[in-house]
Amino acid sequence: MAKVNEDVIIAGGGIGGLAAALGLAETGRTSVVLERAPEFGEVGAGLQLAPNGTAILERLGVMEEISKFAVFPKRLVILDAITGKELTSLDLQEAFKQKYGHPYIVMHRADLHTVLYEACVKKGNIRLMTNSEVEKVEDLEDGARVYLTNGTVYEANAVIGADGIHSKTRKLVSDDQPVCSQYVAYRGTIPMEEITETAGTDPDDVLMWIGPNLHLVQYPVRRGELYNQVVVFKSFKYKPGAEDWKANDWGTPEEMDERFKDTCSHVKHAISFISRKFRWAMWDRNPIDNWTKGHVTLLGDAAHPMLQYMAQGAIQALEDVAQLTNMLHKYGDDYKTAFAEYQKERIPRASKVQTNARNWGEMLHATDPITIMLRNDIFSRRDKYDTTYVDWLYSKRYEEPAFID
Ligand SMILES: Cc1cc2nc3c(=O)[nH]c(=O)nc-3n(C[C@H](O)[C@H](O)[C@H](O)COP(=O)(O)OP(=O)(O)OC[C@H]3O[C@@H](n4cnc5c(N)ncnc54)[C@H](O)[C@@H]3O)c2cc1C
């Protein structure tokens, strides 16, 4: 067994884990990030980051670098995947930026991860270790212990579990299981030249095409050089108890074709560019009322995995980092109190986002004609500057303590 030289061990080097290391560095603490993969990196394509997320990236000192890769969309647009008609939009330009003080951006998730990784390397007080899979975490009287699958055992003053939806750290506080949504995603990027423009929209807009049991999201990433596409649909073939989609072969490309057969020509054209090789089943978990045991706490998808329909999973991980950092500033070496106070603020909000994400999915994928009619009617009455439905989400700030430069 080895006590690491660092103050805190972070399990998992995704967006949440790396951002947490930067937050700890802000408090003057050292940390070691244990990543199970042979390299640090991100799988998947695009990421939308609303002002409640970009505000925290600014605080972590990475927003200038991120702006070199990001796209600043003009509008979020919701369209009917069947008729092709625009249903509603949210303007993201000057009035929006002034209201929230921070921009709405879209970017390649690998670019965000790289910027965070490089910021960690530059700090000098963050150690980044690969091939380090955490098997088990224990709380101790005066710290915490981590067991790796390679037999190594480490101890530190505290452990933060940022090890994703299948978190091993979470087992310390809950024996719950992920919940299968029956939805599947196919995603990837294509060269910008391959896209067909949609009348009335700008190539920089975020487009969400919605229909019964399905949606398609499109937006540019990497300074507008690539176009991100995510195709999502509910499987016909899924049966309760057959959650292992690889073994039970649900969510197949043939099902995708069947689901999208009545969509408009733009959506069908977009789908013809989607890689059919890989698919991701969509899981979340029910909210839980405790993320912490003594000197161990959870963050990001390990704490509150959610469906992606509000584009908030990574942002909520960043909100965790901001609040955790504030509590570590406030309570010094008293990790137990800092973690307890952190979750007191964060659990209600993250749980609300988790639950709302499910509800948004129901609304976007509605099948009942009356619900669709009412939804579309409400959408059509909205002004593009109206932020009523998103204000609670985008306006939240975890202000850094006044004594920070
Ligand atoms: C299709 C889709 C679209 C999305 N779009 C958005 C969006 O637009 N905006 C947004 O904010 N969010 C979005 N999300 C959600 C977002 O991707 C996640 O919420 C976010 O990546 C979670 O980050 P994390 O660091 O908590 O977890 P993860 O990204 O899962 O990272 C966990 C890390 O821990 C490592 N790890 C796992 N287990 C162990 C272990 N035992 N030991 C050591 N290391 C381990 C993993 O290899 C990984 O590197 C989307 C999700 C999906 C599926």
Side-chain angles (χ1 to χ4, degrees), residues 106-398:
V106 288
M107 67 190 301
H108 203 295
R109 57 175 66 220
D111 293 339
L112 172 61
H113 193 272
T114 302
V115 170
L116 291 171
Y117 177 82
E118 284 172 0
C120 286
V121 171
K122 272 193 205 137
K123 285 285 173 200
N125 54 2
I126 299 169
R127 188 153 58 107
L128 299 156
M129 287 177 63
T130 51
N131 295 309
S132 303
E133 181 169 8
V134 172
E135 177 63 38
K136 197 172 98 174
V137 179
E138 271 174 13
D139 179 45
L140 306 173
E141 215 164 278
D142 56 351
R145 184 179 293 154
V146 168
Y147 297 81
L148 301 195
T149 50
N150 65 14
T152 315
V153 181
Y154 292 129
E155 284 183 10
N157 296 337
V159 171
I160 297 171
D163 44 351
I165 184 168
H166 301 290
S167 169
K168 292 279 169 56
T169 318
R170 186 176 172 114
K171 291 185 189 302
L172 192 62
V173 296
S174 174
D175 60 0
D176 72 325
Q177 295 297 321
V179 178
C180 179
S181 74
Q182 308 182 29
Y183 275 79
V184 179
Y186 286 74
R187 50 187 174 160
T189 52
I190 56 172
M192 208 62 189
E193 305 83 72
E194 307 283 10
I195 67 162
T196 44
E197 282 191 28
T198 305
T201 66
D202 187 277
D204 280 356
D205 288 342
V206 177
L207 305 184
M208 185 178 216
W209 303 82
I210 61 171
N213 297 313
L214 61 85
H215 77 256
L216 160 73
V217 174
Q218 300 181 297
Y219 54 82
V221 293
R222 194 160 292 162
R223 300 173 289 262
E225 292 157 19
L226 292 172
Y227 203 56
N228 175 61
Q229 302 204 105
V230 187
V231 176
V232 176
F233 66 93
K234 188 173 185 178
S235 167
F236 300 101
K237 282 168 57 184
Y238 169 86
K239 290 198 179 61
E243 277 73 14
D244 183 347
W245 57 270
K246 280 186 192 149
N248 295 294
D249 204 28
W250 56 268
T252 58
E254 293 72 37
E255 283 187 76
M256 175 162 66
D257 291 336
E258 178 62 20
R259 269 289 177 225
F260 283 82
K261 72 177 184 337
D262 297 326
T263 54
C264 64
S265 57
H266 180 101
V267 171
K268 279 201 185 123
H269 179 74
I271 287 172
S272 69
F273 288 99
I274 275 281
S275 164
R276 295 168 163 244
K277 271 196 208 144
F278 302 105
R279 60 188 193 267
W280 286 265
M282 304 282 102
W283 300 74
D284 67 354
R285 288 184 189 249
N286 294 326
I288 50 175
D289 59 9
N290 178 39
W291 300 344
T292 299
K293 185 162 184 198
H295 305 86
V296 182
T297 197
L298 302 175
L299 175 152
D301 276 10
H304 44 67
M306 58 187 69
L307 298 174
Q308 78 274 22
Y309 309 137
M310 297 179 87
Q312 279 285 322
I315 299 176
Q316 289 305 304
L318 292 171
E319 286 196 2
D320 293 339
V321 168
Q323 174 64 359
L324 186 59
T325 304
N326 286 353
M327 293 305 100
L328 288 169
H329 274 302
K330 189 166 175 188
Y331 294 103
D333 290 339
D334 184 356
Y335 285 94
K336 279 184 170 180
T337 307
F339 288 174
E341 290 299 308
Y342 150 73
Q343 72 165 30
K344 198 161 129 192
E345 160 64 31
R346 287 296 303 144
I347 288 178
R349 177 162 162 89
S351 304
K352 184 175 170 184
V353 184
Q354 268 178 300
T355 312
N356 269 265
R358 284 182 180 172
N359 295 341
W360 270 79
E362 293 292 315
M363 185 265 290
L364 297 171
H365 303 140
T367 53
D368 162 46
I370 305 283
T371 310
I372 293 173
M373 187 191 74
L374 292 173
R375 177 197 68 196
N376 292 356
D377 186 56
I378 294 170
F379 275 172
S380 70
R381 289 164 197 268
R382 279 192 60 258
D383 182 87
K384 68 175 179 173
Y385 298 106
D386 180 2
T387 53
T388 307
Y389 295 115
V390 291
D391 213 29
W392 67 276
L393 202 49
Y394 296 172
S395 61
K396 181 72 182 173
R397 297 289 176 270
Y398 291 99

